[in-house]
Amino acid sequence: MMAMMMTMVMMAMTMMVIGGDGGDDDGDDADDADGDEDDDGDGDGDDDDGGVWPTLHGCVGALVTTFVVIPIVAKISKKIGKKKTFLFSQGISIIGYLLFWFLFIPGKPYMFLIALPFFSFGIGGLFTLMMSMTADVCDLDELNTGKRREGILGAIYWWMVKFGLAVAGLLTGVIMSLVGFEQGPNNPESAITGLRIFYTGLPILGTLIAMWVMNTYDIDEEKAAENREKLAARKAEPIVPMKPIIPTKPIVPTKPIKTTKPTVSTKSIKTTKLTFPAKPTFPTKPTFSSKPIKTKKLTFPAKPTFPAKPTFSSKPKRR
């Protein structure tokens, strides 16, 4: 997946550059003495072609994949199975990657269209068969666990697709910097050779790894149909409430419990009579008399008497 995405991104970026390269081997400009562009059809191009060819390549690839590759892959998968069809389509895409080595010619981006049908088999077979095979995996997972988790499995699949696109975009710029590729017609032969190596070797390596991993996929059409029948039979069964689980064996303690023989006394048990306090007595209701109450007259002591005021005579006393 990552190798395919990287090839698509590298192809789009590089074609924007080589689409405007001149066709002369010595790297001279394609413009004539008057400054006009070369329109004689000998393979020379202008800088505006760098934006046309990636768009044309993507449109033609989408049309070939939709109307040619997908119907062929779907028809072959019904005859030989999904797994074998996947291996077959990826094998055809390797032919397209090998052609990139010979069709990578600066100034002639239209040569990529020759390898496009072979390359489309890899992408078309991948996206056509993977989701169908993911559905078979969902059936097997439900049969084993009792849970329907196609949402989780589908999210993992598309997360890997986006991860491949992200890594492809990152490594594309790194690879073009490593090989020394620059915009313009004056690129050394080592840069072109480096791009050919990465265009051809890296996608082939990724495709071979994918085919090796897919070789361990063991859900064929018969097993997928059997899983669907088991799920249908399980859903048709009435729902029976679960019975409580009763242990078949008694629980034996690890250490024996010592029990003593109970002793029964023959003597009668003396009981004491319970005594309760006497009933409390409450005072009777007070009675009030209608007769007047006799009161004694209070007597106070008499007013004290004081001696009279002494008098003094003005006459002298006789002796």
Side-chain angles (χ1 to χ4, degrees):
M1 170 73 70
M2 190 180 303
M4 294 181 182
M5 298 302 175
M6 187 177 299
T7 303
M8 295 176 64
V9 176
M10 287 180 63
M11 190 178 300
M13 294 179 64
T14 311
M15 287 183 65
M16 294 179 65
V17 179
I18 67 174
D21 292 351
D24 300 333
D25 295 336
D26 55 358
D28 295 337
D29 294 335
D31 297 340
D32 55 13
D34 298 333
D36 297 333
E37 296 177 353
D38 188 3
D39 298 327
D40 55 2
D42 58 354
D44 299 340
D46 53 55
D47 293 337
D48 294 337
D49 292 341
V52 174
W53 284 107
T55 306
L56 180 62
H57 189 277
C59 293
V60 174
L63 292 174
V64 172
T65 303
T66 304
F67 296 104
V68 178
V69 175
I70 292 179
I72 294 175
V73 169
K75 189 174 182 179
I76 295 176
S77 65
K78 294 179 181 179
K79 293 184 178 181
I80 65 176
K82 301 174 186 177
K83 176 181 176 180
K84 294 181 180 180
T85 304
F86 178 85
L87 298 176
F88 172 74
S89 62
Q90 299 308 310
I92 293 178
S93 68
I94 293 179
I95 300 175
Y97 299 139
L98 289 173
L99 291 176
F100 284 153
W101 181 277
F102 305 99
L103 300 178
F104 197 93
I105 304 174
K108 296 181 180 181
Y110 53 85
M111 298 297 291
F112 279 92
L113 298 176
I114 299 176
L116 187 60
F118 301 96
F119 170 77
S120 298
F121 262 92
I123 296 295
L126 177 71
F127 287 101
T128 303
L129 298 174
M130 279 294 99
M131 295 308 297
S132 179
M133 299 170 82
T134 303
D136 295 338
V137 174
C138 293
D139 293 338
L140 180 62
D141 180 65
E142 182 182 5
L143 190 63
N144 294 333
T145 63
K147 299 179 181 179
R148 190 72 182 178
R149 299 185 288 190
E150 62 268 59
I152 297 177
L153 297 175
I156 294 174
Y157 171 79
W158 285 110
W159 184 86
M160 291 302 299
V161 172
K162 295 179 180 180
F163 178 76
L165 285 171
V167 175
L170 174 65
L171 293 182
T172 299
V174 174
I175 291 172
M176 296 181 72
S177 298
L178 289 176
V179 300
F181 190 85
E182 298 178 358
Q183 183 176 1
N186 299 323
N187 279 289
E189 186 64 26
S190 59
I192 304 300
T193 304
L195 288 178
R196 283 174 178 160
I197 292 174
F198 282 107
Y199 261 101
T200 304
L202 191 60
I204 290 177
L205 178 62
T207 303
L208 291 176
I209 294 175
M211 295 174 68
W212 176 72
V213 173
M214 185 56 63
N215 195 37
T216 61
Y217 183 80
D218 58 350
I219 303 178
D220 54 8
E221 276 62 30
E222 295 180 359
K223 188 173 182 179
E226 182 181 353
N227 293 339
R228 288 192 292 268
E229 290 177 0
K230 290 181 181 180
L231 289 176
R234 179 186 295 180
K235 294 178 181 179
E237 294 178 357
I239 301 175
V240 180
M242 297 180 63
K243 296 181 180 180
I245 301 174
I246 302 175
T248 56
K249 295 182 180 180
I251 301 174
V252 181
T254 56
K255 295 182 179 180
I257 301 174
K258 294 181 180 181
T259 58
T260 58
K261 187 177 180 180
T263 56
V264 181
S265 178
T266 58
K267 297 179 180 181
S268 59
I269 301 172
K270 294 182 178 182
T271 58
T272 57
K273 187 176 181 181
L274 300 176
T275 58
F276 299 95
K279 188 175 181 180
T281 57
F282 299 96
T284 57
K285 186 177 182 181
T287 57
F288 299 94
S289 176
S290 59
K291 295 180 179 181
I293 300 173
K294 294 181 179 182
T295 59
K296 293 182 179 181
K297 187 177 180 181
L298 299 177
T299 58
F300 298 95
K303 187 176 180 180
T305 58
F306 299 97
K309 185 176 180 183
T311 56
F312 299 94
S313 177
S314 57
K315 293 178 178 183
K317 290 181 180 183
R318 293 179 178 177
R319 294 182 180 181

